[in-house]
Amino acid sequence: MRYLAVFLLAAVAPLAQAANFVSLHQSALRIALPPAAGSYHYKFDTKVGFKQQYAPQGATGCVIGYATGGCAFPGGGSLALPEFTGYQLQYKEFKIFIPAGTRSFMFSGYAPQRTQSAFVLRYGSAPVREAALSGAEYQKAQTGERIDSAFQRLVNERSEQLVVHDGGGTLRFVGGQLDANRGSTGEGNWLYVRQLSGAPLYDVQGAMDVDMARYAAGYAKIVWTTSNYPDPVDAPSAGGGTGTVNPPDNATTLPVPATVATSVVSAAGQPLRLDISLAQAAADVAANPKISAWVAAFVPANGLSFPADAWFFRLANGGWSSQVPADVEGIAFASGVANAASLKFTPSLDFTEAELRAFNVQVHFGYKTGTGSFVSKGKVWPQ
């Protein structure tokens, strides 16, 4: 998926190229709770953010999280990933955190039948590839896939791996143990997934088998994001055993990232109007007395009105532009305004919420500092 960081690359670039991988843990997901003894009836809980979803509470030998007081379904030492039951992933770049102490990892999704889908995965850093596969590449990836050893290769090789699917429904991304001796990961890190082609996925799910002692020790050393529903930061987190990576000495003095909060201020049935609030550290404001901001509507390809992904930039005069001029300030929603620790941008988007959702439209936000650096905050609506 392309994002507003286009402005970092070239003023004449037609669309964005910078990655913005959405954490699957930031959705409110249904999490299966363990059934009562002798029962096969499962209840569900909902939690958001890795910190809540996978808190290592409970008996030695299994990770439960969810504050349930018992082993997580499916049990037996497993850590179940939340399941997107009946959920369609509208974003094509997403990530999953694989914690310290993980011995095996399985991950799959459902792709519509009679479709071809291709993905590129990388552990520890975002994949570089963005181009769709050629026919020959697709065939080679399909015949050469070794999903049952994919987890081992992702962790040990740190290289890009292709996963393809051709028409059968369930799509397996990753499987297998880290090694044959039940070894586990020495640090926590993110698995990044980018969809290169194909229809959106449904019902993403998976499970991890963990060494509980190493997992719990690693969880205690994670440096968390500052959001209301924290995830691990986008960097390796400390492990839970010998030979693991320790947190940096300055972990508590990391720069405070700017945060964005979005609220809907329009009435139901009226054109969608958003309050996009940007909060920055005082040092950032002092270093950048002027700031420009961009608001864009991303319309994913739908095979009807939009056969390809499309971007529309909301202009300061209330119009729209689908073109990026040489002077990108010309498509800014706010250009060269005085900076402050708290800023609010209130775009009105001409269409109702129902109309926008019918086409799976996403609103994205980014800004440029006085030094010329562009910061993409990715999707800000819907949340």
Side-chain angles (χ1 to χ4, degrees), residues 153-203:
R153 287 182 283 113
L154 282 165
V155 173
N156 292 337
E157 297 175 10
R158 305 296 177 102
S159 59
E160 295 186 0
Q161 295 189 32
L162 297 173
V163 173
V164 300
H165 165 72
D166 191 5
T170 300
L171 191 160
R172 295 180 64 207
F173 286 88
V174 181
Q177 299 180 345
L178 186 63
D179 60 46
N181 299 314
R182 292 182 62 77
S184 63
T185 51
E187 65 181 20
N189 222 323
W190 289 91
L191 172 66
Y192 297 85
V193 181
R194 173 182 289 133
Q195 185 167 3
L196 302 176
S197 62
L201 290 170
Y202 291 85
D203 293 347

Side-chain angles (χ1 to χ4, degrees), residues 319-375:
W320 293 93
S321 175
S322 60
Q323 302 296 320
V324 179
D327 179 12
V328 295
E329 293 285 333
I331 59 169
F333 181 74
S335 180
V337 300
N339 204 358
S342 178
L343 292 171
K344 183 176 291 185
F345 305 92
T346 308
S348 182
L349 302 176
D350 291 346
F351 300 92
T352 67
E353 181 172 342
E355 291 170 333
L356 294 171
R357 287 184 181 272
F359 284 85
N360 296 318
V361 175
Q362 301 173 4
V363 178
H364 290 247
F365 176 78
Y367 62 93
K368 186 174 69 174
T369 67
T371 60
S373 298
F374 186 85
V375 180

